[in-house]
Amino acid sequence: MEEKRYVVGLGEALWDVLPEGKKLGGAPANFAYHAGQFLGSDNTLAISALGEDKLAEETIDALKEHNLQYLMPRVPYPTGTVQVQLDEQGIPTYDIKENVAWDNIPLAPEIEAVARNCRAVCFGSLAQRNVVSRQTIHQFLDLTPADCVKIFDINLRQNFYTKEIIQESMRRCNILKINDEELVLIGRMFGYPGLDIENKCWLILGKYNLDMLVLTCGTNGSYVFMPGQMSFQPTPKVEVADTVGAGDSFTGSFCAAILAGKPMTEAHKLAVSVSAFVCTQNGAMPTLTADLLSRGR
């Protein structure tokens, strides 16, 4: 029997501890959840590691509640948490606890088996801050089939990244997702001073031989660059509840639309609409409207 081809969110599994209580967070689960709303939750998978603690049990309960499939081996470290403070505009700042379970994701045989047959994978820089998870992520990416869509959603947090981690990840991905603030940092780090936003994006697209580069600029819209082609979409004006998980919903829906064979511009429009809707809802994993879902399938 042929192995199932999963769409995978790979990296940190953690709880966002917000002023009003804690919520399951982490880009991989958010990505897998939103991709799964379009592709079917039985076709998506969140991969990370959990501790041998009460919070790990709560994580599994929360994943099941969101109908999320997971591969999260238990390791002798605490399950990850993040203290989240929201400012008056609802913009979060994060204090990400270190030396936790998701820093120590093992390349278990069942994770290796998924890698060899992976349809798409989204990974970031945060889960690579520790050598154990970094090696697992690199090995996972190196095992994927040639046609696997590999999205590096760069996600720079605090001081948990280096030039080497970013370069290695850009070499291994075929789609880079970055925001305008991260692009400024990368420009400084890689020595691209003086170039405007678009030229920086074209330069990175060509230098790393990417299929696509997705640039989000908050309220100033977003771009998708492909060799010889560019799409720009304005950001819809909405009543913002919070922005937690909005970026992951953009990536998950964009990936799902690309896998469904939608043209780049159509996938981009959908991702913008989904992300705007998620901003109007509390938490990172709201149920999307029937209209949005029909546009991505």
Side-chain angles (χ1 to χ4, degrees):
M1 197 175 96
E2 199 182 331
E3 291 270 345
K4 191 174 190 68
R5 297 204 68 188
Y6 285 106
V7 173
V8 173
L10 172 62
E12 63 274 14
L14 46 82
W15 287 83
D16 290 323
V17 184
L18 296 138
E20 72 273 15
K22 67 180 191 299
K23 290 193 174 110
L24 182 66
N30 294 342
F31 167 83
Y33 172 78
H34 285 289
Q37 291 201 74
F38 293 97
L39 300 168
S41 58
D42 55 340
N43 295 313
T44 54
L45 194 60
I47 295 181
S48 188
L50 297 173
E52 294 159 341
D53 49 18
K54 183 172 173 286
L55 205 49
E57 300 299 334
E58 289 184 42
T59 308
I60 289 166
D61 290 344
L63 291 165
K64 286 177 176 167
E65 192 183 318
H66 286 101
N67 204 18
L68 251 172
Q69 293 194 92
Y70 59 90
L71 261 182
M72 299 190 182
R74 298 295 188 89
V75 293
Y77 296 88
T79 298
T81 54
V82 181
Q83 296 296 137
V84 184
Q85 303 291 330
L86 299 176
D87 70 12
E88 286 158 14
Q89 280 78 47
I91 307 296
T93 52
Y94 306 92
D95 173 23
I96 305 166
K97 302 301 176 208
E98 294 191 63
N99 206 22
V100 291
W102 61 261
D103 285 316
N104 296 280
I105 305 168
L107 190 69
E110 61 272 28
I111 292 177
E112 200 174 316
V114 169
R116 292 184 189 282
N117 217 20
C118 187
R119 191 177 177 206
V121 55
C122 183
F123 67 104
S125 58
L126 177 58
Q128 298 185 61
R129 66 182 182 175
N130 185 36
V131 65
V132 178
S133 289
R134 181 159 71 245
Q135 285 178 342
T136 295
I137 289 168
H138 286 181
Q139 286 170 301
F140 185 100
L141 294 165
D142 294 347
L143 287 168
T144 57
D147 66 346
C148 179
V149 175
K150 293 177 287 224
I151 304 169
F152 178 37
D153 188 348
I154 196 163
N155 215 1
L156 301 180
R157 291 276 182 259
Q158 289 167 230
N159 56 343
F160 298 131
Y161 56 90
T162 64
K163 186 175 178 179
E164 289 67 38
I165 286 172
I166 291 163
Q167 283 178 319
E168 280 301 314
S169 298
M170 296 211 307
R171 287 190 193 111
R172 284 177 163 87
C173 74
N174 41 41
I175 299 178
L176 171 65
K177 178 165 176 278
I178 191 167
N179 68 32
D180 48 353
E181 290 172 10
E182 291 164 343
L183 187 64
V184 171
L185 285 169
I186 297 295
R188 283 197 202 121
M189 199 184 273
F190 285 58
Y192 308 150
L195 287 178
D196 67 16
I197 281 183
E198 289 186 24
N199 281 326
K200 276 196 187 91
C201 290
W202 288 121
L203 183 68
I204 293 167
L205 186 81
K207 184 174 167 62
Y208 290 93
N209 199 21
L210 303 173
D211 294 336
M212 293 184 204
L213 187 154
V214 179
L215 171 69
T216 58
C217 304
T219 54
N220 298 318
S222 56
Y223 300 79
V224 181
F225 297 84
M226 280 175 77
Q229 191 180 355
M230 184 190 88
S231 164
F232 172 79
Q233 289 294 324
T235 301
K237 287 185 168 48
V238 294
E239 192 71 36
V240 174
D242 70 49
T243 61
V244 179
D248 302 323
S249 73
F250 184 114
T251 317
S253 50
F254 184 80
C255 176
I258 294 293
L259 291 175
K262 305 280 182 197
M264 176 259 275
T265 311
E266 212 175 303
H268 185 194
K269 282 180 183 163
L270 174 73
V272 166
S273 303
V274 167
S275 158
F277 171 76
V278 171
C279 285
T280 68
Q281 308 294 302
N282 281 309
M285 297 187 193
T287 303
L288 298 179
T289 63
D291 171 57
L292 286 170
L293 291 173
S294 68
R295 284 172 53 192
R297 288 175 174 156

